[in-house]
Amino acid sequence: MFEKIKLWRKKKSSSNLRERIEMIKKREIPAHVAVIMDGNGRWARKRNLPRIAGHKEGMMVVRKISRIAGELGIKTLTLYAFSTENWKRPKTEVDFLMKLPQDYLNDYLPELIEENVQVRMMGSKQNLPKHTLNALEKAIQETKNNNGLILNFALNYGSRTEIIEAVKHIIRDSRDGKIGEDGLNEEIFSQYLMSNNLPDPDLLIRTSGEIRLSNFMLWQLAYTEFWFTDVLWPDFNEQFFLDAIEEFQKRQRRFGGV
Ligand code: V07
């Protein structure tokens, strides 16, 4: 009997989700959503588990959220998976994190291909272990012609470094006569960043109650709507994601237009 109730609940909540998605799709969908997936360590500590258990649970949420983003018709989902500052963590934790891309892709690359997702990476390839890079490059290669959701992983990414690298590149191009002082503007500068070819995010989500940017897409977030929640990333789900999208749509209705 109890099993029957559980099944009914599950069916009901998934039909609620369908209805919510249909309502949301009638209004403006953000083209690019960026997410700072914070709170995995805290989630684990609360349960007396090692931090890596939080990261593993967080990985399952990545699947949930990328699938619903695709369903909503969001064009790009950028996920902050590993920052350049994260190297300072204990070696065992870093080693574990560096295995997650291949774990994820082993399990879900066929599904990503099936769902027409294009995998991309934004960040420095330097310092990444060979096994991490190989898995990523295989996924990027095998999904490069897909034209559904762009699933963009920020990995070994830091925005100040990104900006410095862009400036260095511009100095080199200037020396080579490819660009001059008059040729530089916001649009051209954007093309030197790691997010080139992507529009700026329309919406930034950060979980776990921290209200800061932590060196994430400083240039690109200039006009972005921010949405923060106390929910820890491993507890995040489709319903919370829809809360964020609905709030975005309310703000658009209030302030969009003239
Ligand atoms: C990572 C799980 C999510 C919470 C935040 C930190 C831990 C998925 C990936 C991933 C990356 C590239 C790719 C496929 C999957 C990942 C890292 C950490 C480093 F092509 N989750 N996840 N990568 N976490």
Side-chain angles (χ1 to χ4, degrees):
M1 189 57 201
F2 187 56
E3 286 306 308
K4 242 182 165 170
I5 295 173
K6 271 208 295 204
L7 209 69
W8 173 79
R9 274 205 181 142
K10 198 170 170 192
K11 224 169 119 186
K12 187 159 187 290
S13 92
S14 93
S15 81
N16 280 345
L17 201 60
R18 298 276 138 257
E19 284 164 26
R20 261 189 105 182
I21 291 172
E22 287 321 307
M23 290 302 289
I24 285 173
K25 282 174 90 167
K26 291 190 172 74
R27 299 187 290 264
E28 186 192 329
I29 298 292
H32 185 175
V33 178
V35 187
I36 303 178
M37 309 182 287
D38 201 5
N40 303 288
R42 213 174 318 157
W43 180 92
R45 194 169 63 227
K46 270 177 40 182
R47 287 166 177 72
N48 267 318
L49 294 168
R51 289 173 59 82
I52 56 170
H55 296 315
K56 212 171 174 87
E57 193 71 21
M59 196 170 79
M60 301 316 300
V61 181
V62 167
R63 176 166 178 254
K64 279 190 202 166
I65 299 309
S66 62
R67 294 183 82 179
I68 196 166
E71 256 181 86
L72 285 170
I74 289 167
K75 296 229 166 57
T76 306
L77 181 68
T78 295
L79 301 176
Y80 205 2
F82 192 89
S83 80
T84 48
E85 284 74 36
N86 288 159
W87 295 109
K88 294 181 205 143
R89 295 187 179 173
K91 185 175 182 312
T92 49
E93 186 179 343
V94 169
D95 287 349
F96 182 85
L97 285 167
M98 285 300 141
K99 288 200 193 91
L100 290 185
Q102 70 210 75
D103 283 357
Y104 191 91
L105 294 167
N106 272 337
D107 290 349
Y108 302 122
L109 184 55
E111 179 180 293
L112 292 169
I113 293 170
E114 170 74 24
E115 290 172 353
N116 199 21
V117 173
Q118 187 185 107
V119 177
R120 290 202 203 177
M121 177 212 162
M122 180 173 82
S124 169
K125 290 182 179 173
Q126 265 179 20
N127 307 324
L128 287 183
K130 254 254 123 40
H131 61 88
T132 312
L133 205 54
N134 286 346
L136 261 159
E137 280 180 339
K138 177 170 175 265
I140 292 167
Q141 183 59 28
E142 289 187 17
T143 62
K144 68 166 190 246
N145 294 322
N146 289 354
N147 58 8
L149 174 75
I150 295 172
L151 183 55
N152 182 34
F153 287 99
L155 226 155
N156 196 16
Y157 173 85
S159 190
R160 287 187 174 182
T161 303
E162 171 191 41
I163 291 169
I164 298 282
E165 288 306 316
V167 172
K168 287 183 180 174
H169 194 167
I170 291 166
I171 292 171
R172 285 198 302 275
D173 279 359
S174 159
R175 210 183 286 136
D176 298 344
K178 288 186 201 155
I179 189 172
E181 201 179 325
D182 298 333
L184 186 58
N185 55 34
E186 291 183 12
E187 199 189 323
I188 301 290
F189 188 83
S190 294
Q191 290 165 11
Y192 283 89
L193 298 171
M194 289 166 167
S195 54
N196 66 345
N197 303 324
L198 293 177
D200 290 339
D202 303 291
L203 173 65
L204 171 78
I205 295 173
R206 183 171 186 154
T207 57
S208 184
E210 309 296 342
I211 319 286
R212 47 187 140 76
L213 284 183
S214 303
N215 205 16
F216 187 55
M217 300 185 91
L218 301 178
W219 170 279
Q220 297 89 336
L221 294 172
Y223 296 101
T224 304
E225 295 287 343
F226 290 0
W227 189 85
F228 296 99
T229 175
D230 288 338
V231 174
L232 307 176
W233 179 253
D235 293 325
F236 200 72
N237 61 26
E238 291 91 342
Q239 298 288 0
F240 293 120
F241 189 74
L242 295 182
D243 289 346
I245 305 296
E246 273 179 355
E247 169 69 20
F248 171 84
Q249 294 181 324
K250 277 186 203 144
R251 291 188 207 172
Q252 290 305 99
R253 274 215 304 273
R254 228 176 301 148
F255 304 113
V258 275

